[in-house]
Amino acid sequence: MLNRKYLSLGVALRTFVLCIVLVGVSAFVTSRVISDDTAAKAGDPKQPQMPPEMAEMMKKMQELGTPGPHHRHMDAFVGEWNASGKFWMGPGEPTTTEGTATFKWILDGRYIQEDYRSEWDGQPFNGLSIFGYDNFAKQYTSLWMDNMSTSVFSSTGECDSSGKSFTFSGESPDCMTGKLKKHRMEWRVISKDKHVFEMHEADKDGKMMKMMEIVYTRK
């Protein structure tokens, strides 16, 4: 009976000591984590620091990824619009269409997306464009896709000092020759409630000819 009593007492004592040790270890780990975190925030030189070149790279990446004044020029396009279009397939009077367009900022103010809807030859015509400014390349970029083509029209451009006139250039497929032909696009902000888009393409002699005009009027 006495041995059992001492045995039980020993077990209880070891359990108590173990609990004390675990509490002490937990307190030490917690205090170390807090100390390390505080030291890191305070810039303790004893703590591991980001290499200077890595810190500089992160800073540059943040600068290049942050929208700036060139993006603000595009604010004029945001909204709901009625779109009146004219299309020239050759000499003579143009074909006219009526449609709608929605321009909105996407990806936290880095790009503008246009959703364009109208009709062409009695069939629904839907287009999508992505418009932005590349801080790295220091130029505007434009992508256009629609439901009547499998090609993506890519252009790059610039804006004048007024922030209201944009000019883009690029190449697009010529279905008649099977080659690429040059194109030029122009955006002109007339007022907060109106802007005009024009597209010119090179003819067989390389001369730029106006083939599209769309007048956007705010709803």
Side-chain angles (χ1 to χ4, degrees), residues 44 126 154:
D44 188 343
N126 303 322
S154 176

Side-chain angles (χ1 to χ4, degrees), residues 108-193:
D108 302 321
R110 288 170 174 79
Y111 304 91
I112 279 184
Q113 175 180 304
E114 176 192 6
D115 290 294
Y116 181 88
R117 297 181 181 275
S118 66
E119 288 188 356
W120 179 260
D121 196 24
Q123 299 296 318
F125 178 75
N126 303 322
L128 172 70
S129 72
I130 304 295
F131 180 26
Y133 183 80
D134 187 334
N135 288 333
F136 179 81
K138 292 181 171 43
Q139 62 185 6
Y140 286 91
T141 59
S142 173
L143 296 175
W144 170 266
M145 298 148 278
D146 59 58
N147 66 327
M148 292 188 175
S149 171
T150 57
S151 299
V152 177
F153 294 75
S154 176
S155 309
T156 59
E158 58 186 15
C159 180
D160 69 358
S161 58
S162 71
K164 296 183 179 181
S165 180
F166 302 79
T167 304
F168 290 81
S169 60
E171 292 183 325
S172 52
D174 186 339
C175 60
M176 298 301 295
T177 65
K179 300 179 180 180
L180 295 175
K181 58 183 175 182
K182 294 183 178 180
H183 66 253
R184 185 180 76 249
M185 304 187 304
E186 299 174 2
W187 286 97
R188 300 192 308 278
V189 178
I190 308 302
S191 70
K192 67 181 182 64
D193 296 322

Side-chain angles (χ1 to χ4, degrees), residues 193-211:
D193 296 322
K194 181 180 180 180
H195 61 267
V196 178
F197 171 81
E198 290 185 4
M199 184 167 182
H200 303 252
E201 289 186 347
D203 63 12
K204 61 180 181 179
D205 298 320
K207 182 181 178 181
M208 284 292 181
M209 304 292 293
K210 183 176 179 179
M211 53 84 61

Side-chain angles (χ1 to χ4, degrees), residues 43-115:
D44 188 343
K46 295 181 180 179
Q47 298 301 318
Q49 299 293 312
M50 182 182 295
E53 59 273 16
M54 178 66 72
E56 182 65 19
M57 184 184 72
M58 295 297 291
K59 179 182 177 182
K60 290 293 185 182
M61 288 179 63
Q62 184 176 12
E63 291 174 354
L64 292 175
T66 301
H70 291 286
H71 294 81
R72 297 283 64 79
H73 293 329
M74 298 186 289
D75 281 330
F77 299 108
V78 176
E80 301 281 342
W81 306 83
N82 291 313
S84 298
K86 294 180 181 180
F87 299 85
W88 287 266
M89 304 302 291
E93 293 297 314
T95 299
T96 61
T97 65
E98 296 295 326
T100 61
T102 299
F103 289 76
K104 64 181 181 180
W105 283 109
I106 61 172
L107 299 179
D108 302 321
R110 288 170 174 79
Y111 304 91
I112 279 184
Q113 175 180 304
E114 176 192 6
D115 290 294

